[in-house]
Amino acid sequence: GGQFTHVGGQPRSNLAHILPDGGVSAWAPNPDEKVWALLLANDVLYVGGDFHTIGGAHRDYLAALSTTAVAPLGWTCDTDNRVATLALQGSTLFLGGWFTSVAGQPRTYVAAVELQTGAPQSWHVDLDDQVKTLAIQDTALFIGGYFSLVNGELRRCIAAVGIETGIVHEWNPALDRTPDWSADGGAHVNALLVDDGTLLVAGSFSVVGGQ
């Protein structure tokens, strides 16, 4: 997924399936704008991005696709702006991005929805700016992006919240960037990865935990 018009010499707009031998599958949903996030669960591919149509059907920023058919599944969970990242825990799909509403309900930059139905859960975390990445470890959802406040508490660009409760954890790496400038939106976290109890963090910063 990304922003492209051809893969392996074949016309493919923003989303493609590469086969094990390096060839390109005939599968071509061709979303009309950039794809930012992919998540595969139970043979369903959840796709997040900037698009409004995918597989010839209207879907705003988020869609569920079969891995064998071009048309999207009936599952819908439209947002009002970019979906940049997806994470799965059990039957809950977490999404982060630029949005402030999910399926018509107010959600600021991060949300939890039912995997089977797309309906927003009551789980609610308030951020003051955009989310670029999510990661899960046990009962914690790690969030990375451009924000400074999480549920009114100071957490610059990275935070941990309860998967079940949405409560902000005391864990605080105190990320910063010196010197800081605004041309790229300021300090931010682009990617998170949990590996055997260690959280790997990548982005634009110069100080973490005072180091």
Side-chain angles (χ1 to χ4, degrees):
Q3 186 176 29
F4 48 81
T5 58
H6 288 77
V7 176
Q10 301 296 316
R12 295 290 185 274
S13 295
N14 307 315
L15 184 60
H17 176 202
I18 310 301
L19 300 172
D21 64 0
V24 182
S25 165
W27 182 84
N30 292 328
D32 64 337
E33 290 289 347
K34 186 185 299 184
V35 168
W36 284 86
L38 300 174
L39 187 147
L40 184 64
N42 303 321
D43 295 324
V44 175
L45 182 67
Y46 296 88
V47 183
D50 292 337
F51 53 83
H52 299 286
T53 63
I54 186 169
H58 181 85
R59 296 289 188 274
D60 284 328
Y61 307 102
L62 182 61
L65 304 175
S66 164
T67 56
T68 58
V70 168
L73 301 175
W75 187 95
T76 59
C77 182
D78 289 344
T79 71
D80 68 340
N81 210 327
R82 174 183 298 169
V83 173
T85 180
L86 299 167
L88 181 64
Q89 177 76 348
S91 61
T92 300
L93 179 66
F94 292 94
L95 41 143
W98 275 224
F99 54 81
T100 57
S101 74
V102 174
Q105 298 190 28
R107 296 290 188 274
T108 51
Y109 310 113
V110 66
V113 304
E114 295 291 339
L115 185 67
Q116 296 301 317
T117 66
Q121 296 182 355
S122 58
W123 185 92
H124 203 154
V125 173
D126 286 319
L127 303 173
D128 67 337
D129 213 337
Q130 300 157 349
V131 169
K132 292 203 72 175
T133 182
L134 300 170
I136 293 173
Q137 171 71 26
D138 298 328
T139 60
L141 176 70
F142 294 97
I143 306 171
Y146 290 91
F147 53 84
S148 296
L149 295 174
V150 182
N151 289 345
E153 298 189 37
L154 184 62
R155 295 289 188 277
R156 191 163 193 213
C157 305
I158 187 170
V161 302
I163 281 181
E164 298 291 339
T165 65
I167 295 172
V168 184
H169 290 196
E170 291 185 6
W171 180 87
N172 184 3
L175 185 144
D176 203 357
R177 184 172 73 178
T178 304
D180 203 1
W181 62 93
S182 60
D184 63 351
H188 55 276
V189 168
N190 282 326
L192 298 172
L193 177 67
V194 174
D195 180 33
D196 194 23
T198 296
L199 181 69
L200 306 176
V201 183
S204 184
F205 52 83
S206 61
V207 178
V208 179
Q211 299 186 39

